[in-house]
Amino acid sequence: MPRQQMPDRQQPDGSMSMVTRTLLIVAPAVLAAAALRPRSGSGGAASRASGEATGAGGD
């Protein structure tokens, strides 16, 4: 059985693929968000939620 040839994608010279362009934009943004995210000492969402609740109120 002969194998069918997949048609080559038409891509102009010098242009990046959409996947490459998306990764170049998204990856640094995700890394920056992770680096700038405040770190809590211990615990997970429960300590974070209680911290927001106690820090938001009070005169």
Side-chain angles (χ1 to χ4, degrees), residues 3 11 14 16 18 22 28 32-34 36-37 43 47 49 53 56-57:
R3 293 183 67 184
Q11 192 174 30
M16 292 185 287
M18 188 174 186
T22 303
L36 295 174
R37 183 176 168 194
S47 67

Side-chain angles (χ1 to χ4, degrees), residues 39-53:
R39 293 186 180 97
S40 61
S42 64
S47 67
R48 223 179 355 232
S50 65
E52 291 174 5

Side-chain angles (χ1 to χ4, degrees), residues 3 7-8 10 12 14 17 21-22 25 29-30 35-36 39 44 46 50-51:
R3 293 183 67 184
D8 291 335
Q10 297 295 323
S17 71
R21 194 176 339 157
T22 303
I25 293 169
V30 170
L36 295 174
R39 293 186 180 97
S50 65

Side-chain angles (χ1 to χ4, degrees), residues 1-16:
M1 239 181 179
R3 293 183 67 184
Q4 290 184 338
Q5 293 272 340
M6 295 295 288
D8 291 335
R9 292 185 182 197
Q10 297 295 323
Q11 192 174 30
D13 291 337
S15 72
M16 292 185 287

